[in-house]
Amino acid sequence: MPQFIPHDYQQVVKDFLVNRTHAGLFLDMGYGKTAITLDTFNTVMPQGHILVVAPLNIVRSTWIDEIEKWGFNVRTQSLVVNDKDRQLT
């Protein structure tokens, strides 16, 4: 399984995020936002908890795919709920 090694521009973004308590990440599709974010969280809080709020298709596929693709040591749990707070499968 490959390990995530950021490209130069991704490292700049990661450094920006690591050195701030609050930040937003706005990059075009395909620039590695999810991998950069996972790598940043792995640096900042390797044992912490992360809450991902995103559209359903992104939560169900992109995040899980990126965790598996790059071998991040992250345990996941779905808290996906509908508008009545009922858990979706």
Side-chain angles (χ1 to χ4, degrees):
M1 184 173 305
Q3 178 184 359
F4 179 72
I5 299 171
H7 294 285
D8 291 343
Y9 70 89
Q10 291 171 323
Q11 188 62 52
V12 169
V13 173
K14 179 183 173 185
D15 293 343
F16 176 85
L17 295 173
V18 166
N19 292 310
R20 285 164 178 73
T21 57
H22 299 80
L25 179 55
F26 302 94
L27 297 172
D28 285 334
M29 187 169 51
Y31 279 84
K33 293 179 293 295
T34 305
I36 295 167
T37 302
L38 285 165
D39 196 34
T40 300
F41 280 131
N42 193 43
T43 299
V44 175
M45 314 180 332
Q47 301 299 318
H49 292 74
I50 302 167
L51 174 64
V52 175
V53 179
L56 189 57
N57 62 328
I58 301 299
V59 170
R60 283 192 172 156
S61 64
T62 303
W63 280 85
I64 301 301
D65 292 348
E66 291 289 308
I67 289 167
E68 291 174 2
K69 176 180 177 181
W70 298 113
F72 285 103
N73 186 22
V74 175
R75 184 177 52 127
T76 62
Q77 179 176 351
S78 175
L79 300 176
V80 176
V81 295
N82 66 13
D83 58 347
K84 295 180 181 166
D85 288 333
R86 292 194 177 146
Q87 188 152 0
L88 302 173
T89 55

